[in-house]
Amino acid sequence: MTRDKKVLVVGGGGRCHAIVDALSRSPQVAKIWCAPGNAGIGLQAENVPLKDTDVAGLLKFAQEQGIDLTVVGPEAALSVGIVDAFRAAGLRIFGHTRAATRIESSKEFAKVLMDKYGIPTAAYRSFDGFEEALAYVNARPFPAVLKYDGLAAGKGVVIAANAAEAEAALRSMLLDETFGKGRVVVEDFLTGPEFSFMAFVDGERVYPMPLSQDHKRAFDGDRGPNTGGMGAYTGLPFITEEDRAFAQKEILEAAAKAMVAEGCPLSGVLYGGLMKTPDGVKVIEFNARFGDPETEVVLPLLESDIYDIFSAVAEGRPAAQPVWRNAVTLGVVLASKGYPGSYPKGFEIQGVEDVDARVYHMGTKLDGGRLLTNGGRVMMVVTEGADIRAAREKVYAELAKVRCDALFFRRDIAHWALDGKLLDGKALSGSIKEDLRERIGKLEVKYGRKPSLAVIIVGNNPASQVYVRNKVKTAIYLGMNSRLITMAEDVSEAALLEMIDHLNRDPELDGILVQLPLPKQINEARVIDAIAKEKDVDGFHPLNVADLWLGRPCTVPCTPKGILRLIDESGIDLQGKTAVVVGRSNIVGKPVAKLLLDRNATVIIAHSRTKDLKSVTLQADVLVVAVGKQNVVTGDMVKPGAVVIDVGMNRDAEGRLCGDVDYTEARLRASWITPVPGGVGPMTIAMLMENTVECFLARMDSK
Ligand code: NDP
């Protein structure tokens, strides 16, 4: 194969940089020109100062240079008929004709096409009569999307939740003619994750590319205004192979066939903007070109020679199926502060040469060797990894090398795929309580009495009042007998001990709980020691604690027991895993560590003064934090993929509940995480009830 091909790429953004980069890997391509190109493209191709819509100029340039193949990036060039002009002049060009580009440029054309050929999309009808529109809307599921088909100053779209809202909107649009005389388009409301599916298409031949997902909003958490795209990645875990195969056959191949049947065959890239709805994959929109920023993450995975694919499509002959690397890519866009609104340009960007990843320029300019910002989206850094997590770790490490105060980027690209799933203690405790309730009903039938619990509260600490009320309420809900014993703030230790002694001897009582903390005149340790071991439903008694460590039967402390249940919810197999427990109290940290050891995990017990705590927590496959101090664990202290349990229940400066872990940052790295407040609280109560039932059974069976 000789390296003698000359290629012209039309366009200038990050997408064209990725195309130029792919072409530069071809062993056939000798030289690439790019019109107009940009500073980054200029490092891999020769920039040509021609506008992408200057068809006559581009044609003349291609003829003069003896270009073998022209590749068109942007839609603007296609819709002014660049492909038609080049073909008429006998030049080879990759891109759709003007007629075929209508699949993107005319929404009406695309909708009618999908309707006619049964391509799945949101059902859609347009109306100019009120009655007719209303009947249609009422016959379909709500919510309905109602769009005034004309200029309406951005107020022409109504998402109607029910028949009344729909009627009001239709009345306003069609009868009152609020926006003037016009038609109304009624579309079904679709929900589900969106993704992009691109393919090289030549007539009916479709060569699919890997799936990708774009992030349209400017800021983390999908907040802020819409942009051209702030990042993208491949390897979407929420799209199954079945979904992908369906989309290829029923959407991309069906659309290619439909376009042939309509007499305007495709000969370029077909981009499906798709959504995985509860009723299957559907089309949101078609584009007639490479997507941006999807191209920047998709093309780096191409192992085949892209020149072969482009030229086969341009000539209308079959190509070999492209081969894609079995890896995933992730790209983050660096944008000018202020984008997508107004922003100043011309700031120097330093450190790009140190970045060990693909850097695609979007809006940059060279000024005597200095690289300057020259657009809203400035550049995109793309990394590759065995999985999304690895690619994301790498991309943010590389981005840290780029120095420019005028730029910002999103920190949560691929969050759809990676966000820690919630360990929902509230939900889990709910189902545990339902099981207990059923069990307790049967126990009463079998033993002739219900489990019973006494809760003692001393004084009027408001937090304790709440905890105690929740515990008693839960006991009642489960059908247990319960007693709430209230003692005055200034009660003597002797009086409290006497009460406990009395309860210890009560043959009808199974569980005793003394709410901590206790007033100063009372020694907490003596009080806990006084509760009979077999009625210690909290599991705090020294004999229970001792038996736990010795591996003998005992009442397991509630909070640690609940924490283990939450960890099990994640599905992690603890055998051989590293667990780090931050916190070393006798009732939380230490017993959790013991329970984890019993599951054959390697356990490290750390605390708030552990030296270089970060290097310890970064080893944790399972991280339990029970220190009682806000932000003891920040996001960067979490090992990617870890299961994180935040036991802490603190109040921040504004009095809001907060945990020990910086949840917002940590959830971007954890695979599973408890929300704030942790959901550990409801689990503690559920385990308290379970312990009471177990104490009851032990007493009954020993009789
Ligand atoms: P403690 O205050 O008892 O323990 C926290 C820290 O106190 C330890 O990490 C350690 O500090 C020190 N400490 C306590 N006991 C000992 C000991 N015996 N030996 C040495 N040091 C000790 O808090 P908890 O463990 O009870 O609770 C931690 C957090 O979890 C709190 O925010 C609490 O509110 C919350 N929590 C929530 C529950 C729920 O159900 N939601 C239940 C229980 C607790 P250091 O690390 O500095 O060495």
Side-chain angles (χ1 to χ4, degrees):
M1 194 175 289
T2 44
R3 187 182 280 280
D4 59 359
K5 299 292 187 285
K6 299 180 189 174
V7 184
L8 169 65
V9 176
V10 177
R15 163 180 52 198
C16 283
H17 195 173
I19 295 170
V20 166
D21 184 39
L23 278 164
S24 70
R25 298 198 296 274
S26 164
Q28 304 174 67
V29 173
K31 175 147 190 186
I32 308 166
W33 286 265
C34 190
N38 66 29
I41 292 173
L43 304 172
Q44 286 174 285
E46 186 176 325
N47 289 333
V48 184
L50 287 173
K51 274 177 66 176
D52 56 14
T53 49
D54 178 5
V55 176
L58 291 165
L59 184 62
K60 184 160 166 273
F61 178 85
Q63 284 168 327
E64 282 173 5
Q65 293 292 339
I67 296 289
D68 294 287
L69 175 74
T70 300
V71 179
V72 187
E75 196 235 355
L78 296 170
S79 60
V80 295
I82 189 171
V83 172
D84 309 67
F86 270 59
R87 286 198 186 154
L91 295 187
R92 295 199 310 164
I93 186 163
F94 177 87
H96 305 291
T97 60
R98 198 168 162 175
T101 307
R102 281 180 302 165
I103 197 166
E104 169 167 2
S105 58
S106 166
K107 298 299 163 201
E108 182 79 25
F109 175 86
K111 275 290 185 186
V112 169
L113 185 86
M114 287 189 265
D115 211 22
K116 183 168 169 188
Y117 293 92
I119 298 169
T121 186
Y124 151 105
R125 286 272 298 275
S126 59
F127 300 91
D128 34 29
F130 170 76
E131 294 297 338
E132 204 192 345
L134 189 63
Y136 176 80
V137 170
N138 283 333
R140 302 200 59 84
F142 285 98
V145 184
L146 312 176
K147 292 181 185 168
Y148 175 76
D149 198 9
L151 291 176
K155 297 191 183 99
V157 180
V158 172
I159 313 280
N162 51 47
E165 285 181 27
E167 185 176 340
L170 290 173
R171 192 174 289 282
S172 147
M173 291 178 192
L174 291 170
L175 294 182
D176 304 343
E177 299 184 350
T178 311
F179 306 116
K181 201 156 184 59
R183 292 166 68 80
V184 168
V185 173
V186 180
E187 227 179 80
D188 282 359
F189 181 79
L190 300 184
T191 54
E194 285 186 53
F195 64 102
S196 308
F197 193 177
M198 299 190 284
F200 302 99
V201 182
D202 165 30
E204 295 197 0
R205 286 187 281 264
V206 170
Y207 309 97
M209 302 187 213
L211 305 179
S212 57
Q213 193 185 41
D214 179 14
H215 295 59
K216 281 273 176 242
R217 301 298 198 96
F219 309 128
D220 285 1
D222 293 323
R223 285 190 298 265
N226 266 321
T227 69
M230 295 298 293
Y233 66 103
T234 60
L236 316 182
F238 46 88
I239 305 296
T240 62
E241 173 51 27
E242 203 183 1
D243 294 330
R244 201 206 62 80
F246 172 87
Q248 179 177 334
K249 185 158 182 290
E250 305 297 333
I251 294 175
L252 297 184
E253 290 175 5
K257 280 201 185 86
M259 292 296 276
V260 170
E262 292 295 308
C264 45
L266 297 168
S267 62
V269 170
L270 178 62
Y271 166 113
L274 311 182
M275 183 185 269
K276 180 177 172 158
T277 77
D279 306 320
V281 178
K282 296 189 179 182
V283 178
I284 302 296
E285 62 169 354
F286 280 126
N287 289 330
R289 47 163 173 95
F290 279 110
D292 191 356
E294 291 92 333
T295 305
E296 289 93 311
V297 292
V298 167
L299 287 187
L301 291 173
L302 181 63
E303 286 197 330
S304 310
D305 182 347
I306 201 167
Y307 183 85
D308 280 339
I309 304 168
F310 283 153
S311 50
V313 172
E315 288 169 21
R317 58 178 166 81
Q321 267 304 331
V323 178
W324 303 92
R325 212 178 357 271
N326 186 19
V328 305
T329 44
L330 191 147
V332 178
V333 170
L334 284 151
S336 294
K337 284 180 184 164
Y339 173 80
S342 63
Y343 50 82
K345 300 185 204 176
F347 295 96
E348 184 169 5
I349 313 163
Q350 292 178 312
V352 177
E353 60 286 355
D354 301 327
V355 173
D356 178 23
R358 292 195 149 89
V359 178
Y360 293 129
H361 292 236
M362 303 173 124
T364 59
K365 178 166 98 177
L366 271 177
D367 178 35
R370 293 191 317 150
L371 186 65
L372 305 181
T373 66
N374 192 40
R377 291 189 301 157
V378 172
M379 52 175 64
M380 184 163 178
V381 176
V382 178
T383 55
E384 192 173 315
D387 59 33
I388 302 173
R389 221 169 269 288
R392 181 153 87 171
E393 280 293 292
K394 175 139 175 69
V395 89
Y396 286 113
E398 296 304 323
L399 276 165
K401 298 176 184 171
V402 179
R403 298 186 305 278
C404 177
D405 289 341
L407 297 177
F408 79 98
F409 56 87
R410 274 182 64 163
R411 307 204 59 93
D412 66 344
I413 299 305
H415 72 88
W416 261 99
L418 287 183
D419 270 1
K421 293 193 242 358
L422 291 189
L423 281 174
D424 187 349
K426 244 183 169 155
L428 179 59
S429 66
S431 66
I432 292 172
K433 282 190 263 185
E434 288 314 313
D435 290 347
L436 278 175
R437 195 177 163 175
E438 205 184 310
R439 226 173 118 194
I440 288 167
K442 289 182 188 151
L443 290 177
E444 193 182 4
V445 175
K446 183 168 175 196
Y447 294 101
R449 84 167 174 84
K450 304 166 166 188
S452 70
L453 172 69
V455 179
I456 305 178
I457 178 166
V458 181
N460 36 26
N461 174 326
S464 296
Q465 301 261 352
V466 175
Y467 295 140
V468 159
R469 217 176 307 135
N470 286 341
K471 289 170 185 174
V472 173
K473 248 173 38 194
T474 308
I476 294 170
Y477 175 75
L478 299 185
M480 293 195 208
N481 280 327
S482 62
R483 279 180 239 177
L484 177 62
I485 298 161
T486 309
M487 301 184 98
E489 179 81 31
D490 59 356
V491 72
S492 69
E493 186 181 301
L496 177 58
L497 293 178
E498 194 181 319
M499 170 60 76
I500 292 172
D501 182 50
H502 170 73
L503 297 174
N504 280 342
R505 283 184 283 109
D506 183 341
E508 299 279 285
L509 187 70
D510 308 294
I512 304 171
L513 180 157
V514 180
Q515 182 66 38
L516 304 180
L518 293 170
K520 283 184 291 294
Q521 76 275 15
I522 301 171
N523 179 324
E524 279 189 4
R526 261 204 295 271
V527 170
I528 293 170
D529 286 1
I531 300 171
K533 185 205 180 211
E534 60 279 7
K535 292 194 179 184
D536 168 37
V537 281
D538 251 341
F540 294 171
H541 194 282
L543 293 176
N544 273 317
V545 172
D547 280 347
L548 177 75
W549 283 94
L550 293 172
R552 293 195 198 126
C554 63
T555 300
V556 179
C558 309
T559 302
K561 200 175 175 186
I563 291 168
L564 260 284
R565 292 281 180 90
L566 279 171
I567 293 171
D568 285 341
E569 272 294 286
S570 74
I572 190 174
D573 175 7
L574 287 166
Q575 168 99 29
K577 296 288 189 327
T578 300
V580 173
V581 180
V582 187
R584 48 162 176 168
S585 73
N586 290 336
I587 60 170
V588 182
K590 284 184 221 166
V592 165
K594 168 64 175 153
L595 296 177
L596 288 163
L597 270 177
D598 288 347
R599 299 287 202 83
N600 293 321
T602 300
V603 183
I604 300 169
I605 307 182
H607 51 95
S608 61
R609 277 157 293 164
T610 297
K611 197 171 153 224
D612 192 7
L613 185 58
K614 179 175 170 178
S615 70
V616 177
T617 58
L618 278 176
Q619 297 174 53
D621 302 306
V622 173
L623 179 60
V624 179
V625 192
V627 189
K629 229 178 266 167
Q630 188 185 355
N631 282 356
V632 166
V633 169
T634 48
D636 59 330
M637 293 167 74
V638 174
K639 178 179 173 179
V643 174
V644 177
I645 309 281
D646 182 0
V647 188
M649 279 230 289
N650 321 300
R651 300 241 171 223
D652 67 10
E654 278 90 54
R656 283 186 302 250
L657 270 179
C658 61
D660 294 350
V661 176
D662 178 352
Y663 171 75
T664 318
E665 289 288 323
R667 77 188 283 247
L668 297 175
R669 302 191 25 147
S671 62
W672 290 89
I673 188 166
T674 49
V676 182
V680 174
M683 287 301 290
T684 299
I685 296 187
M687 293 301 109
L688 175 68
M689 301 302 146
E690 194 176 278
N691 281 352
T692 306
V693 171
E694 279 167 14
C695 287
F696 165 86
L697 285 173
R699 288 167 61 77
M700 287 302 178
D701 294 342
S702 69
K703 275 187 185 163

